[in-house]
């Protein structure tokens, strides 16, 4: 019975595409994604009224006009969401996902520039039907990448790991999320968004699909190095208070060294090979330095706790309850 229902009611897919000054790629992206939708509808994997949701992130060019044109030409398949100003990729994507969740059963987020392979969308849907709530698009290790790009990226993932931030290796923001996963995500009210770090907190069964990341179809990157570094710092500072603990640790280490230095200074003092006043001076410098770091680290621990508290993140996500009341 349940199976039959499933065949009749197919899942409605929403593909969410954040766009900032993407006039050069918009029509190409729209055509490519519509083709994917048509194909999946034809294979009866998604509902016929599945759609693409272009999110215009305060573009200064003709992006929004083009979205309007596409919507006029394909009223069901192409929808648009216009943000009042530029809020950045992570926020634009969040706006799109949260809007799309009320209009669909499952969402896939993808960049407008088609760097992520649209061909694996079908595999994502298959994995969704196999019971996964989140399917991460993971970029295969690319030999063609420049040495610089590869090492900086790997360094970034290693640093995140070291700082205790759980992320999916080589996954950007190309991912499938079920309606309930987006619903749970919308409970995270924090303003410092780092989606890649937040999604693994949701839980549920997840899987990955692998693809080769291509060059941009047209236009240029909207993510200069400055924005990338900001994202990386935001990722760490939004998820981890380890840097504060490190200060605390450093304070302790310095106080330990101070004890060693005290022994050394006293020996020097008694052997008489020092300038007058040096012993007390050097000891107070080390000791006070250590105490100060310790105190900063300690205060930091409390601030870190306040920081975590004010985020008001959900503390858990209940997937199922087995009880007597179940039918
Ligand atoms: N983007 C956005 N708002 C911004 C910057 C970028 O919505 O302020 C979108 C952009 O249109 C694209 C995606 O985020 O769809 C990723 O940007 P881009 O491809 O330029 O980044 P890169 O792939 O170079 O890291
Ligand atoms: Mg890109």
């Amino acid at each position: 019975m349940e199976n039959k229902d499933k065949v009749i009611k197919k899942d409605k897919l929403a593909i969410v595409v954040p766009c900032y000054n993407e006039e050069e790629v918009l029509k190409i992206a729209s055509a490519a994604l519509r083709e994917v939708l048509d194909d999946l509808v034809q294979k009866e994997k998604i509902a016929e009224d599945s759609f693409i949701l272009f999110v215009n992130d305060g573009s200064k060019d003709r992006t929004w006009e083009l979205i309007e044109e596409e919507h006029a030409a394909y009223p069901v398949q192409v929808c648009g969401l216009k943000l009042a100003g530029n809020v950045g990729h992570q926020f634009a994507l969040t706006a799109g996902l949260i809007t799309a969740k009320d209009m669909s059963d499952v969402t896939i987020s993808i960049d407008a520039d088609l760097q992520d392979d649209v061909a694996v969308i079908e595999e994502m849907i298959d994995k969704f039907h196999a019971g996964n709530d989140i399917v991460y698009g993971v970029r295969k290790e690319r030999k063609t990448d420049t040495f610089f790009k590869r090492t900086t990226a790997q360094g970034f993932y290693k640093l995140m790991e070291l700082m205790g931030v759980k992320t999916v290796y080589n996954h950007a923001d190309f991912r499938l999320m079920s309606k309930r996963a987006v619903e749970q995500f919308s409970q995270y009210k924090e303003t410092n968004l780092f989606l890649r770090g937040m999604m693994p907190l949701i839980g549920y069964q997840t899987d990955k699909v692998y693809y080769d990341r291509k060059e941009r179809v047209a236009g240029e990157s909207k993510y200069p190095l400055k924005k990338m570094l900001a994202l990386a710092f935001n990722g760490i500072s939004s998820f981890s208070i380890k840097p504060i603990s490190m200060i605390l640790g450093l304070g302790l280490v310095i106080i330990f060294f101070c004890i060693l230095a005290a022994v050394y200074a006293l020996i020097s003092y008694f052997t008489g090979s020092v300038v007058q006043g040096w012993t007390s001076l050097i000891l107070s410098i080390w000791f006070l330095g250590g105490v100060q770091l310790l105190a900063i680290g300690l205060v930091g621990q409390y601030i870190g706790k306040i920081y975590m508290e004010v985020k008001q993140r959900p503390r858990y996500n209940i997937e199922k309850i087995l009880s007597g009341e179940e039918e």
Side-chain angles (χ1 to χ4, degrees):
M1 181 68 202
E2 209 197 5
N3 259 343
K4 209 176 153 204
D5 275 353
K6 248 187 188 161
V7 177
I8 294 165
K9 196 202 157 289
K10 279 179 228 93
D11 291 305
K12 187 171 169 183
L13 168 70
I15 302 182
V16 180
V17 190
C19 306
Y20 176 60
N21 294 347
E22 298 285 13
E23 61 181 7
E24 281 159 288
V25 300
L26 200 106
K27 295 246 164 171
I28 308 172
S30 174
L33 292 171
R34 276 186 283 110
E35 200 180 307
V36 172
L37 286 183
D38 287 339
D39 181 47
L40 291 175
V41 167
Q42 210 219 329
K43 287 179 179 159
E44 303 200 333
K45 292 193 175 183
I46 56 171
E48 272 163 35
D49 51 355
S50 296
F51 62 98
I52 307 160
L53 179 67
F54 285 109
V55 182
N56 178 36
D57 183 18
S59 300
K60 295 184 187 72
D61 62 1
R62 292 191 61 249
T63 301
W64 180 247
E65 282 77 43
L66 294 177
I67 295 172
E68 283 177 326
E69 278 172 28
E70 284 293 293
H71 174 64
Y74 310 94
V76 180
Q77 275 196 318
V78 179
C79 299
L81 178 70
K82 189 182 186 191
L83 298 178
N86 179 250
V87 291
H89 175 227
Q90 301 282 292
F91 290 96
L93 187 51
T94 302
L97 286 174
I98 290 178
T99 308
K101 85 169 180 344
D102 299 326
M103 305 152 72
S104 63
D105 303 305
V106 54
T107 63
I108 290 179
S109 52
I110 188 168
D111 290 349
D113 57 10
L114 299 180
Q115 281 191 284
D116 307 314
D117 194 357
V118 295
V120 296
I121 289 181
E122 182 172 354
E123 205 184 330
M124 284 181 159
I125 293 287
D126 290 342
K127 294 206 159 157
F128 166 65
H129 285 140
N132 293 288
D133 277 88
I134 303 179
V135 182
Y136 298 102
V138 174
R139 195 185 148 177
K140 280 186 215 156
E141 213 63 70
R142 246 196 352 184
K143 307 274 181 301
T144 48
D145 254 356
T146 61
F147 176 75
F148 176 75
K149 199 162 178 192
R150 224 179 330 152
T151 37
T152 46
Q154 275 167 357
F156 171 64
Y157 287 107
K158 282 273 138 60
L159 185 67
M160 296 291 273
E161 207 184 295
L162 212 70
M163 291 292 167
V165 189
K166 264 197 255 160
T167 51
V168 178
Y169 190 68
N170 265 343
H171 158 72
D173 284 309
F174 181 29
R175 87 175 76 74
L176 174 144
M177 292 177 80
S178 68
K179 190 188 180 91
R180 64 174 187 171
V182 181
E183 232 143 47
Q184 176 67 11
F185 163 67
S186 69
Q187 300 298 313
Y188 287 72
K189 307 287 186 198
E190 58 203 80
T191 349
N192 289 290
L193 288 181
F194 184 65
L195 302 182
R196 274 170 249 181
M198 292 165 77
M199 300 317 176
L201 299 178
I202 292 174
Y204 293 135
Q205 185 180 317
T206 66
D207 206 341
K208 296 171 193 163
V209 295
Y210 297 88
Y211 67 98
D212 282 314
R213 198 167 152 99
K214 295 177 245 169
E215 296 297 322
R216 228 173 199 283
V217 178
E220 54 194 38
S221 174
K222 274 68 189 177
Y223 253 104
L225 188 66
K226 203 176 122 201
K227 266 196 202 171
M228 255 161 64
L229 289 176
L231 185 75
F233 181 72
N234 192 17
I236 292 166
S237 60
S238 297
F239 281 85
S240 164
I241 49 174
K242 261 209 176 150
I244 299 175
S245 307
M246 283 174 167
I247 295 178
L248 193 69
L250 191 66
L252 283 172
V253 169
I254 288 188
I255 287 182
F256 173 72
F257 273 114
C258 176
I259 296 169
L260 293 187
V263 174
Y264 172 71
L266 284 176
I267 291 171
S268 309
Y269 178 74
F270 284 117
T271 51
S273 60
V274 291
V275 183
Q276 222 195 352
W278 177 82
T279 316
S280 53
L281 203 63
I282 203 74
L283 282 185
S284 20
I285 288 173
W286 274 84
F287 184 68
L288 280 179
V291 167
Q292 275 171 352
L293 278 183
L294 198 72
I296 292 172
L298 205 62
V299 173
Q301 286 292 318
Y302 286 94
I303 294 179
K305 291 220 162 135
I306 295 169
Y307 181 54
M308 289 304 173
E309 291 289 343
V310 294
K311 283 181 196 277
Q312 302 216 4
R313 283 182 180 163
R315 283 167 291 187
Y316 45 78
N317 178 12
I318 295 175
E319 182 164 355
K320 222 173 232 167
I321 300 177
L322 293 180
S323 77
E325 276 155 48
E326 247 186 345
E327 22 102 62

